[in-house]
Amino acid sequence: MGETITCEIASIPFQLSDTDKRVLSQTDEEYQHHTWDDLQNIIQNNKLHALKRRPSDLRRYIKWTAETSAAYGNTMNYLLAHRLPKAWGPPPFTPVASTPFEHPSDYCVLINDWPYGLAPGITHLVVWTRTDIETDSDKGDLTPESRAMVDAFVKRHFVDRLGPGGESQVTWFKNWVALQSVRALAHIHVLVRDVDPGIIEEWTKEHDWHREP
């Protein structure tokens, strides 16, 4: 299998997981999309290594990562140039609040450019914050305090916006440090299902406080 991958992709810019290798051995037709129940099981059991992209998307992601690293040095530099708020400037960042997600200028919500292979109706969002989120020293997972803090943010920002029953349409996770493709800036992943595109646009729009003064 390793030889097949090497033949298909000249330069792999990151270490492929066992899940990646299995995906690359498949066609898109063979691939099984993550359903909402599947995602709930993966996240609740903290089996984040099981999350995967469609084979064609993974190949494009590998190619994009290699080209982006060659052009910008790393993915973080690309995000700073093209995706993150200009008002943040270059690192080290100076957040308004010391608590993540406390002040709206310290975070932004974007649609994931490279989402996992999700069933129709599921949207993959990423919430970037210039305020660090505390993790443990073991595998870089959230501390209990950080998990409670993120959970409260997701409820008030996403779940409450959807009204009654909103908790059944939203789930979230934060990759352990070992699984992150961008480690220099804290972020969480939010998955929502069957949400009106207008609400998605509302969550992801650029605000005045994200622009350069």
Side-chain angles (χ1 to χ4, degrees), residues 25-36:
S25 72
Q26 297 176 320
T27 65
D28 280 3
E29 291 71 27
E30 295 169 328
Y31 175 82
Q32 295 292 314
H33 290 83
H34 289 297
T35 64
W36 190 253

Side-chain angles (χ1 to χ4, degrees), residues 125-173:
L125 305 171
V126 182
V127 186
W128 298 91
T129 172
R130 59 177 171 175
T131 310
D132 286 339
I133 300 175
E134 184 180 4
T135 58
D136 62 35
S137 57
D138 182 15
K139 61 180 180 181
D141 201 359
L142 289 170
T143 64
E145 296 78 13
S146 292
R147 189 171 296 278
M149 178 270 299
V150 175
D151 205 40
F153 164 73
V154 170
K155 181 182 184 304
R156 69 175 183 268
H157 193 83
F158 296 98
V159 174
D160 292 350
R161 174 64 182 85
L162 298 176
E167 64 276 0
S168 68
Q169 295 176 264
V170 181
T171 191
W172 69 271
F173 66 93

